[in-house]
Amino acid sequence: MKLPTPRWWYVRDGAPAPVARALLKPAAWIWAAVTARRIARTVPLDPGVPVICVGNLTAGGTGKTPVVRELLKRLRARHIDAQGLSRGYGGSLEGPILVDPARHSAAEVGDEPLMLAADAPIWISRDRAKGALAAAWAGAQALVMDDGHQNPSVRKTLSLVVVDGETRNNEWPLGDGAVFPAGPLREPLAVGLARADAVILMLPSDLEAPDPELVAMFPGKPVLIARLAPIAPPPSGPQVGFAGVGKPWKVERSLQAAGCDLKDFAPFPDHMAYDARTLRSLADRAATFGAGLVTTEKDWARLPAEWRARITAWPVAAVFEDEAALEALLDRAL
């Protein structure tokens, strides 16, 4: 059973559940040690093409996949055969395999690869090194790896980490600095930052500027500001929203900030597999308000085919403030 992301992870001072956090500290030390040992002992494979990794320092909910989509778009606009590489989390296929949106489902290849495959060739492989080789042998001239900052199996030409820039309402993207499962960090902050070439700070569309205190936590690293901007306005009329992503509450805020007449919102665990019973319950809830149903592109990719016509996908894109800085990073990688 999937569990939702604990919101108390993202409180820096005075977080609730102090007993739970204290009890989870030993598990966090073990997690950090195992991760560090794996990274130190693995010899990365060079697939023979540039590899740009878009990863996280924390457990999801940062806007990483839209960044992957934007990088693929920019590289392919340069007439470079850039292809994506993903583990295919949530999918049943082991890979390496090239995702075919006309043939594959999210249950087979994962929701994020299926979503990305609408715009560029995307490979899934539980063994990232095998996937990178398969893509290179198939003619890829560059790879953009969706997630994998803590995966040392492939040599990275450029390592970017995406950090949530929401710091309002006592929310802090790095929590109190604790590592999973006591907090949101996948490894100690300083350790993860040491392997990163740059930080992408993802701000909500309605936040004018990043918190200077947060920016100061990435000394010596270029910090690029980006926002998740709606590609289209939310559907008109009353709506009931739902999302099974890393931080579903961010989707609710974004819909409200975009002017959606949101009557209710249902959060679900990341990569939630929606069954008919859950969807009927959502439809019944919407009917009580005379509302439509709206969700993210990632969630829409996991919907059964018969439900897709009944639910609106609300797409967003990663928009960078300093496009020249982003292009310079891509130049460096190539």
Side-chain angles (χ1 to χ4, degrees), residues 69-322:
R69 173 186 273 171
E70 180 65 17
L71 296 187
L72 285 167
K73 173 185 170 183
R74 288 175 179 266
L75 290 170
R76 294 181 71 82
R78 296 184 180 204
H79 305 291
I80 295 168
D81 187 1
Q83 303 185 16
L85 175 61
S86 171
R87 180 184 179 275
Y89 184 86
S92 60
L93 298 180
E94 184 173 338
I97 190 169
L98 183 64
V99 176
D100 181 353
R103 182 167 62 94
H104 292 130
S105 67
E108 293 172 318
V109 298
D111 48 16
E112 291 162 348
L114 191 63
M115 183 179 75
L116 290 169
D119 301 311
I122 305 295
W123 293 81
I124 62 156
S125 181
R126 292 182 187 174
D127 185 324
R128 297 294 185 90
K130 289 182 179 178
L133 282 177
W137 290 341
Q141 296 172 312
L143 291 174
V144 180
M145 189 156 69
D146 188 1
D147 210 353
H149 189 62
Q150 290 76 28
N151 186 320
S153 63
V154 178
R155 181 193 61 81
K156 299 160 178 106
T157 314
L158 181 69
S159 288
L160 308 174
V161 291
V162 185
V163 176
D164 181 10
E166 178 63 86
T167 54
R168 297 170 294 185
N169 301 318
N170 200 33
E171 192 168 321
W172 195 253
L174 307 173
D176 65 355
V179 172
F180 177 88
L185 287 170
R186 296 184 174 190
E187 56 185 324
L189 177 61
V191 175
L193 274 179
R195 299 193 313 279
D197 296 301
V199 173
I200 297 173
L201 197 56
M202 188 65 71
L203 300 188
S205 59
D206 61 334
L207 185 62
E208 290 187 7
D211 189 321
E213 192 175 351
L214 179 60
V215 176
M217 299 188 74
F218 315 117
K221 301 291 180 183
V223 177
L224 280 66
I225 305 300
R227 285 179 171 80
L228 288 180
I231 296 174
S236 60
Q239 300 291 321
V240 168
F242 66 97
V245 295
K247 294 180 179 178
W249 60 89
K250 289 185 63 180
V251 177
E252 180 180 13
R253 288 176 186 164
S254 296
L255 282 165
Q256 291 170 334
C260 182
D261 183 11
L262 200 62
K263 298 301 184 182
D264 199 3
F265 187 87
F268 292 100
D270 199 6
H271 303 284
M272 170 79 173
Y274 296 106
D275 57 24
R277 179 180 178 182
T278 300
L279 293 169
R280 283 196 300 268
S281 176
L282 287 168
D284 290 344
R285 183 63 174 161
T288 63
F289 294 104
L293 285 168
V294 61
T295 191
T296 69
E297 283 186 285
K298 176 177 166 179
D299 288 277
W300 195 86
R302 297 195 304 276
L303 294 177
E306 62 271 20
W307 279 89
R308 291 183 176 181
R310 302 175 60 179
I311 298 172
T312 301
W314 188 53
V316 295
V319 177
F320 286 79
E321 282 191 358
D322 190 345

Side-chain angles (χ1 to χ4, degrees), residues 8-9 16-30 176 178-183:
W8 55 260
W9 270 0
V19 174
R21 285 185 290 128
L23 291 174
L24 290 170
K25 287 287 187 181
W29 297 332
I30 294 171
D176 65 355
V179 172
F180 177 88

Side-chain angles (χ1 to χ4, degrees), residues 19-81:
V19 174
R21 285 185 290 128
L23 291 174
L24 290 170
K25 287 287 187 181
W29 297 332
I30 294 171
W31 178 278
V34 169
T35 300
R37 185 180 300 113
R38 175 168 46 82
I39 292 172
R41 292 183 176 182
T42 302
V43 177
L45 172 121
D46 183 353
V49 297
V51 176
I52 301 171
C53 177
V54 181
N56 285 346
L57 297 172
T58 56
T62 62
K64 167 182 52 62
T65 301
V67 171
V68 172
R69 173 186 273 171
E70 180 65 17
L71 296 187
L72 285 167
K73 173 185 170 183
R74 288 175 179 266
L75 290 170
R76 294 181 71 82
R78 296 184 180 204
H79 305 291
I80 295 168
D81 187 1

